[in-house]
Amino acid sequence: SKKNRVKGCLECCIKCLGGIPYPSLIATILLYAGVALFCGCGHEALSGTVSILQNYFEVVRGPMDTLDVFTMIDIIKYVIYGIASAFFVYGILLMVEGFFTSGAIKDLYGDFKITTCGRCVSAWFIMLTYIFMLAWLGVTAFTALPVFIYFNIWNICQNATMLNGATLCLDPRQYGIVPMAEAKTLCAGSDKFYRMCESNELDMTFHLFICALAGAGAAVIAMIHYLMVLSANWAYVKDACRMQKYEDIKSKEEQELHDIHSTRSKERLNAYT
């Protein structure tokens, strides 16, 4: 009947929803959000940095064979492209691993065999996720550097407008952006200094770097969450493996006892006859 079909569909939906590894799903969403925030905001912040250096500090791009700040920014942009694609694939792999090692899969598809390959894959994901967590910690620390630099620039702009007659200057050589031989100092009182402080480029780039730092922090939290999930899955796989060995030994012993009992019964029957 229609009522039974609706009830059957409802039970099937509940069973399917119960098979979703929600901890892995939450970690994957957090990872994708953090990586998207870091890559998108970081890419645009680097583009804003190039515009600020060229328009206000008059830093000129060197020849193609020289390693200057613009070449470094281009390299970092390509690294960002690689991070975005790599962690998109890695998030999918971790979700698949979560599906195949969660206890809900056992309830959905019945009992299953824990293979040595499965245990090795779980251990490999734990090690790889731990390495990625350390890498994201390094990325977070690296992203904090431009946030610190832009905070100093923003602070100098605020103080220059508040303190009349103060001589405040910005020198890119302090941060290693330009070689020491090139003097690209920008001091308060100049027209370019005030135009830079009042521009949307400086404010937008500063806030984009802050968002990129928040995205890197979210990716670190996602990696920690994944480590907890993978460790729990590893413990489940290990316990399931032990239980599987116990069931195999128990089944073998019961079969041996049954064979012994059958043999003795046949011997008694032969003795009577």
Side-chain angles (χ1 to χ4, degrees):
S1 63
K2 185 177 181 181
K3 187 176 181 180
N4 291 332
R5 288 199 302 269
V6 172
K7 186 178 179 181
C9 290
L10 182 62
E11 291 178 355
C12 182
C13 290
I14 293 174
K15 204 171 184 180
C16 289
L17 290 175
I20 298 175
Y22 289 101
S24 296
L25 180 62
I26 293 172
T28 302
I29 293 173
L30 185 60
L31 176 65
Y32 282 168
V35 172
L37 197 62
F38 170 77
C39 294
C41 294
H43 184 275
E44 292 303 313
L46 290 173
S47 300
T49 301
V50 171
S51 178
I52 290 172
L53 289 175
Q54 290 178 338
N55 295 334
Y56 302 108
F57 289 94
E58 297 181 353
V59 180
V60 181
R61 184 184 290 269
M64 295 300 295
D65 56 345
T66 59
L67 186 63
D68 57 0
V69 61
F70 298 108
T71 306
M72 292 296 297
I73 288 175
D74 291 337
I75 293 173
I76 295 173
K77 284 184 178 180
Y78 285 115
V79 171
I80 286 175
Y81 301 149
I83 289 174
S85 57
F87 278 92
F88 176 77
V89 176
Y90 191 65
I92 295 175
L93 292 177
L94 287 176
M95 271 298 295
V96 172
E97 197 273 344
F99 269 108
F100 280 100
T101 55
S102 63
I105 296 298
K106 184 176 180 180
D107 296 333
L108 282 173
Y109 299 107
D111 202 1
F112 61 96
K113 290 289 185 182
I114 304 296
T115 62
T116 305
C117 180
R119 296 197 300 272
C120 291
V121 168
S122 297
W124 172 254
F125 271 118
I126 292 174
M127 183 186 70
L128 200 60
T129 304
Y130 182 76
I131 294 173
F132 283 148
M133 184 199 69
L134 296 179
W136 273 109
L137 283 174
V139 170
T140 304
F142 180 76
T143 311
L145 294 178
V147 173
F148 174 72
I149 293 173
Y150 273 97
F151 175 77
N152 287 339
I153 296 174
W154 177 81
N155 197 24
I156 290 175
C157 288
Q158 296 296 317
N159 293 330
T161 55
M162 292 169 57
L163 301 175
N164 294 325
T167 304
L168 301 176
C169 295
L170 295 171
D171 193 350
R173 293 177 296 181
Q174 294 177 333
Y175 307 107
I177 296 176
V178 297
M180 295 299 295
E182 297 183 13
K184 301 293 183 181
T185 306
L186 189 63
C187 295
S190 63
D191 182 58
K192 284 188 177 181
F193 179 84
Y194 288 112
R195 282 196 293 111
M196 183 190 68
C197 291
E198 294 174 358
S199 66
N200 291 327
E201 290 174 326
L202 180 64
D203 188 64
M204 181 63 69
T205 304
F206 179 37
H207 287 88
L208 283 173
F209 271 121
I210 293 176
C211 292
L213 179 62
V220 172
I221 296 173
M223 290 292 103
I224 295 173
H225 196 161
Y226 269 129
L227 279 176
M228 293 189 294
V229 172
L230 291 169
S231 299
N233 288 341
W234 167 255
Y236 167 75
V237 169
K238 193 174 181 181
D239 290 341
C241 182
R242 289 178 178 176
M243 183 61 68
Q244 179 180 306
K245 290 181 180 179
Y246 171 75
E247 292 292 338
D248 292 340
I249 294 172
K250 183 179 178 182
S251 176
K252 186 177 180 180
E253 290 179 350
E254 289 178 351
Q255 184 65 35
E256 289 177 354
L257 290 174
H258 181 268
D259 294 340
I260 293 172
H261 181 71
S262 298
T263 303
R264 289 181 178 178
S265 298
K266 290 180 180 179
E267 290 177 352
R268 289 176 183 175
L269 183 61
N270 292 331
Y272 283 129
T273 56

